[in-house]
Amino acid sequence: MSEKKVSLLEGFKAFLMRGNVIDLAVAVVIGAAFTNIVNAVVKGIINPLVGAFGTQDLDNYSSCLQGPCTTNAKTGEMDGIEILWGSVLSATLSFLITAAVVYFLMVLPMAKYLARRAAMQAAKEGVQETIEVSELEVLKEIRDALVAQRTGGAPGQGSGDGPGGAGGTAVGPREDR
């Protein structure tokens, strides 16, 4: 029973202070503002363009499924079954415009940026790996040259300032290797 109970308000405060909750709230607010822009584009540009071929408002496009679709002037009720396909077309166009704007103005540039960044990181890692490999090759060549100098040289053929010692004689391979 040594566990400390977290109060309800402390848990709620921790939930609110997490970064993803704030990000989600910002996304919802931006999405609502963006929806207004898309709706204005549809009503101000798309509907008049479609209206050049028919009515000015897509919501006016409809078909009658059963019976004559007439409105009773006294009651205001519709006689027959009316299919309002114009409003569906308007909502579909709004969705397509929203999806296109999000993709071309947000998703595509971010994907290109992330790909460019990943390529730069891979190139940086490739250069680092190349440097490490070339350093390793140089060290191997030095080792091979030292081993060849120790084993291949006859006494008195050393340079005098190498690993064979200052006396100018080459020392054979070490026994402890």
Side-chain angles (χ1 to χ4, degrees):
M1 297 303 281
S2 64
E3 293 180 16
K4 187 177 181 182
K5 287 189 174 183
V6 178
S7 73
L8 186 63
L9 289 178
E10 288 175 359
F12 184 67
K13 181 181 175 185
F15 170 74
L16 288 179
M17 298 310 286
R18 285 192 298 188
N20 56 358
V21 173
I22 303 299
D23 292 342
L24 182 61
V26 169
V28 168
V29 170
I30 295 297
F34 187 69
T35 301
N36 291 335
I37 293 171
V38 170
N39 288 338
V41 168
V42 169
K43 289 180 183 176
I45 297 173
I46 302 298
N47 285 352
L49 288 175
V50 173
F53 303 106
T55 65
Q56 288 291 327
D57 189 10
L58 287 176
D59 292 336
N60 292 336
Y61 286 110
S62 64
S63 297
C64 192
L65 184 63
Q66 181 183 14
C69 290
T70 57
T71 305
N72 189 343
K74 292 181 182 178
T75 62
E77 294 179 4
M78 176 67 70
D79 294 331
I81 299 174
E82 185 177 28
I83 304 295
L84 301 173
W85 60 270
S87 60
V88 174
L89 179 62
S90 178
T92 303
L93 286 174
S94 295
F95 171 76
L96 290 175
I97 290 170
T98 303
V101 168
V102 167
Y103 179 75
F104 290 113
L105 295 182
M106 295 178 189
V107 173
L108 191 61
M110 182 58 78
K112 286 184 178 181
Y113 168 74
L114 291 176
R116 196 175 331 124
R117 190 167 177 198
M120 288 174 42
Q121 183 68 22
K124 184 178 179 182
E125 288 174 1
V127 167
Q128 183 66 27
E129 185 176 311
T130 303
I131 290 171
E132 289 174 4
V133 168
S134 62
E135 287 177 358
L136 184 62
E137 291 299 320
V138 169
L139 290 174
K140 285 180 181 179
E141 289 175 8
I142 292 170
R143 180 201 63 202
D144 294 343
L146 290 173
V147 167
Q149 184 180 13
R150 286 181 180 174
T151 60
Q157 289 184 345
S159 64
D161 42 312
T169 60
V171 177
R174 293 180 18 196
E175 295 295 323
D176 60 339
R177 285 191 191 180

